[in-house]
Amino acid sequence: MMRKPASITKSKPKQRASSEPAAVHVPAPGEGKRGEQGYLGYLLRQAHAAMRLKMERTLADLGVTSPQFAVLTMLNAYPGLSGADVARLTFLTPQTVGVIIRNLERDGAIVMTPHPVHGRIQQWALTSRGTTLLKVCRDRVIELEKRLASNLDAKAEASIRRWLANVATELQED
């Protein structure tokens, strides 16, 4: 049996047709539609993604995710919330909150008590361990928020906070 010559079996690099467009430049955050020309909703989502990633990295060595931080924060602010209440306040699915609550309970950060009237409803509250963990997390997140607002004066920051709260309120009514 004869072997095929190498020129037949060797793959050849594909030649790009001259009519093929060059690679598209993907803009960095702050450029083009990812900058001041972009849709407000997209810019909010982009900012949120950047903040969430930075929070994840900031809290990683504590073993706390940003959704866990949100749950701890809401339970500290509003002790006795049900899992469904926590899901609504943190913009997480009930299934995700269920996993987070189980993990926080397993780690001794939160404790469940039955609702005094509706026995099937489970209420959650921080333990002393959870309060301590939240304080360490909060200190780090406050530093991150200071960085976030570093180019804003107090009036501008208050205006942005008011605008963001109004956006959430106004759009939720529709």
Side-chain angles (χ1 to χ4, degrees):
M1 181 187 284
M2 293 192 65
R3 282 201 133 167
K4 293 181 184 175
S7 62
I8 294 175
T9 60
K10 186 177 179 183
S11 61
K12 297 175 186 172
K14 291 188 178 183
Q15 296 290 324
R16 196 169 64 133
S18 59
S19 63
E20 256 186 65
V24 176
H25 168 71
V26 176
E31 293 180 352
K33 290 293 185 183
R34 296 185 75 190
E36 293 178 19
Q37 300 171 23
Y39 292 106
L40 282 175
Y42 177 83
L43 296 174
L44 282 169
R45 183 164 172 87
Q46 177 180 244
H48 173 263
M51 181 67 176
R52 181 170 175 167
L53 178 61
K54 190 65 176 172
M55 276 183 63
E56 292 286 347
R57 290 176 177 165
T58 299
L59 302 174
D61 67 311
L62 299 172
V64 177
T65 64
S66 56
Q68 287 174 325
F69 174 72
V71 169
L72 290 169
T73 298
M74 291 304 166
L75 288 177
N76 184 60
Y78 313 106
L81 291 173
S82 69
D85 292 332
V86 171
R88 280 189 288 279
L89 288 174
T90 57
F91 309 107
L92 298 168
T93 66
Q95 295 83 358
T96 299
V97 168
V99 171
I100 290 170
I101 283 175
R102 280 193 302 278
N103 290 337
L104 290 173
E105 182 183 32
R106 178 199 66 217
D107 295 342
I110 63 172
V111 65
M112 185 273 294
T113 57
H115 190 278
V117 177
H118 304 285
R120 293 187 67 198
I121 297 175
Q122 298 174 339
Q123 296 181 298
W124 298 96
L126 297 182
T127 62
S128 60
R129 177 171 161 65
T131 302
T132 302
L133 179 60
L134 178 59
K135 182 186 179 334
V136 174
C137 292
R138 190 182 309 135
D139 289 345
R140 293 182 183 192
V141 171
I142 286 171
E143 286 304 311
L144 183 56
E145 288 203 349
K146 284 179 185 175
R147 181 177 169 197
L148 184 67
S150 65
N151 294 328
L152 302 173
D153 61 29
K155 186 176 179 181
E157 183 178 346
S159 179
I160 290 169
R161 286 177 181 276
R162 190 171 35 259
W163 177 74
L164 289 169
N166 284 338
V167 167
T169 304
E170 292 292 323
L171 294 181
Q172 194 165 19
E173 291 176 358
D174 293 343

